[in-house]
Amino acid sequence: MCGPKFCSMKITQEVRDFAAKQNQPANGFLAAGEAEAGMAEMSEKFRERGGELYLPAAE
């Protein structure tokens, strides 16, 4: 009994289950707090370098 509606619902549930497991430390993924800290650090580096998306190749 597989059709487009059933299959898309199953895939959606699998994606939700995977996303829920991502924030668990047992899986080796970063916790939300660690991810936020890492993004803040990279944001600071981006601002220090002038906030330019494209940098010269020499750097």
Side-chain angles (χ1 to χ4, degrees), residues 31-57:
E34 293 172 332
E36 289 290 331
M39 287 188 282
E41 180 182 340
M42 291 305 290
S43 294
E44 184 60 33
K45 286 182 183 179
F46 177 74
R47 281 187 227 106
E48 287 174 359
R49 298 186 90 181
E52 293 294 324
L53 291 179
Y54 299 102
L55 298 174

Side-chain angles (χ1 to χ4, degrees), residues 9-48:
M9 289 171 55
K10 182 175 181 347
I11 292 169
T12 300
Q13 187 59 47
E14 289 173 354
V15 169
R16 286 182 182 148
D17 292 342
F18 178 77
K21 290 178 184 177
Q22 273 191 321
N23 290 328
Q24 296 176 357
N27 286 340
F29 290 103
L30 290 176
E34 293 172 332
E36 289 290 331
M39 287 188 282
E41 180 182 340
M42 291 305 290
S43 294
E44 184 60 33
K45 286 182 183 179
F46 177 74
R47 281 187 227 106
E48 287 174 359

Side-chain angles (χ1 to χ4, degrees), residues 1-11:
M1 183 176 132
C2 185
K5 186 173 180 181
F6 174 80
C7 290
S8 65
M9 289 171 55
K10 182 175 181 347
I11 292 169

